[in-house]
Amino acid sequence: MKYIIMCGGTYQQWETPRQLIKVNGEPIVARTIRLLKENGIKDIAISSNNPLFDSFGVPVLHHMNTYNAVCFNNFTGYWCEAFYPTDEPVCYLFGDVVFSPEAIKTIIETDTDDVMFFGSAPPFAPEYRKPWGEPFAFKVQNQKHFRESIEDVKRLYLEGKFKRKPIAWELWQVITGGTLNVIDW
């Protein structure tokens, strides 16, 4: 399985791409690459059109991603375009997430025959500002189901079925056939 770290799109409120912010002196994306390699993963790539990601020692996969976040829930383009198109099994890791070693190990060791979603869930640390968990990875064996779900998210959004512009939670709701607009851990 290929592991693709998603580092596309733009975030206007950040001077530096979030994936390049240093935590303990190490860029977030470099930390993710290191943790994957420490767990025996060799097939790693970054998905981005930004040349700043060309220096991390893994292939950079270029594709059109017009997502542009001005601020929370105010963006242009489809967030769902962030997933590099491929027909092969792949694990998409969000590039701006500071993964713990345990989270990476869990993602690697969890098998699926369709699509698996990984995210945080309560209880949250006191400094956590949102009342819901954050998504951080999709492990995809069934690319057909995954791609059809992305197209369904776009269609449902245009039909006004979502309370906000669709991101990872909305994609997961469509993949699982869950209730729209309800975050289900």
Side-chain angles (χ1 to χ4, degrees), residues 115-172:
V115 179
M116 180 64 67
F117 172 78
F118 298 88
S120 59
F124 299 119
E127 61 274 3
Y128 191 76
R129 298 177 299 153
K130 297 177 185 175
W132 61 83
E134 286 295 318
F136 51 79
F138 282 88
K139 200 167 196 178
V140 180
Q141 283 287 343
N142 185 342
Q143 281 287 347
K144 182 177 185 291
H145 181 203
F146 190 66
R147 296 291 157 191
E148 288 171 353
S149 296
I150 288 172
E151 293 307 312
D152 286 344
V153 166
K154 293 177 188 178
R155 177 183 51 78
L156 290 166
Y157 174 65
L158 292 174
E159 292 173 2
K161 304 289 184 182
F162 293 114
K163 292 180 183 174
R164 65 179 188 179
K165 294 179 181 176
I167 54 175
W169 283 115
E170 287 75 13
L171 177 56
W172 182 241

Side-chain angles (χ1 to χ4, degrees), residues 44-88:
I44 305 167
I46 294 172
S47 173
S48 180
N49 287 326
N50 188 329
L52 291 173
F53 294 99
D54 291 342
S55 62
F56 288 94
V58 298
V60 177
L61 309 172
H62 301 278
H63 80 287
M64 181 55 71
N65 180 356
T66 61
Y67 180 78
N68 179 18
V70 178
C71 62
F72 182 72
N73 210 28
N74 181 9
F75 56 84
T76 59
Y78 284 106
W79 176 88
C80 295
E81 295 297 331
F83 299 98
Y84 183 81
T86 181
D87 292 328
E88 67 183 299

Side-chain angles (χ1 to χ4, degrees), residues 1-17:
M1 174 171 282
K2 178 181 285 296
Y3 286 76
I4 298 177
I5 304 167
M6 298 172 9
C7 297
T10 57
Y11 301 84
Q12 292 181 358
Q13 69 270 32
W14 296 83
E15 291 179 26
T16 301

